Amino acid sequence: MAHNRKGSKKHFQVDPLLMPKVPRTNYMHLQEEKNRLQLKKFLVHRMFLVGHIQSNVEKKEISEYYEHLFQSILKHHLGEAVTGLLLIYSSTFLHILETSNGTLFRILLDYVAHEKEEKEFMIHGMKIIVASHNIPTRLFMQWHVSFIKVPVLYLDDVTQSQSLAEVTTDFLTMTHKLALHLFKTVKVGTKGPGDNLHQVAPDLLLPEQTIQYLCKAEEFMDPATFLNMYNRPIHITLDSETVWPAPSRF
């Protein structure tokens, strides 16, 4: 009995040869560490939007609408802060958004709700040009608004002689160049580029004809269609699940 009691006090020792020599990790841990170093709690996505503006709407109302919407979302939903650029032309707009997936979802959802409830909402005919997921870095340090007040005359409309792929490529190229220009010139904490982009960067300012062309293109999704596809469950039937002849009941 004494021998058994003495032996029961001994702790089980793991063979040192079985212990891992190198600490192991996985891809999820690497992504979490990368986000932690970049001060990100969520993955950040970027979305390019274009649309039309009602003729009787003050341009300032559009910027105020988005500012209140961003603040309301951050109060009731945990996510990343919104950065980007809103260019408001005479009858159209270009909106670049950088934020988490849940925040983007709620921004589009709010627009769709207004579009259904109000016959003449301040913005309409919105199209999603492209959505980039899990972007490594942001192009904008904050959210900027610029009113393109000065009319710009274009000698020819290049969209009439170009294909949709060419117009989209030029659109993305010019917007990225404009974003890099603002990233280098606009200091953090300032109001942004202001309303004189036609003087500061005239070569990087998109013609309004390009935005109008993209708004009319049927190849791009509107927010309602995008949200329906986003919420639609995915059912994949494997070949191993299909049998022949099909089972039948008598």
Side-chain angles (χ1 to χ4, degrees), residues 152-202:
V152 183
L153 299 178
Y154 301 97
L155 298 179
D156 55 347
D157 186 3
V158 295
T159 59
Q160 300 297 327
S161 59
Q162 291 182 332
S163 63
L164 178 61
E166 293 173 337
V167 175
T168 306
T169 302
D170 294 341
F171 167 81
L172 295 175
T173 302
M174 293 187 66
T175 50
H176 276 83
K177 288 182 178 180
L178 178 61
L180 292 176
H181 172 77
L182 297 177
F183 179 80
K184 297 177 181 178
T185 56
V186 178
K187 297 181 180 180
V188 179
T190 59
K191 293 184 179 180
D195 301 336
N196 59 342
L197 273 177
H198 61 283
Q199 297 176 352
V200 177

Side-chain angles (χ1 to χ4, degrees), residues 19-24:
M19 297 296 292
K21 301 298 182 181
V22 181
R24 297 179 179 179

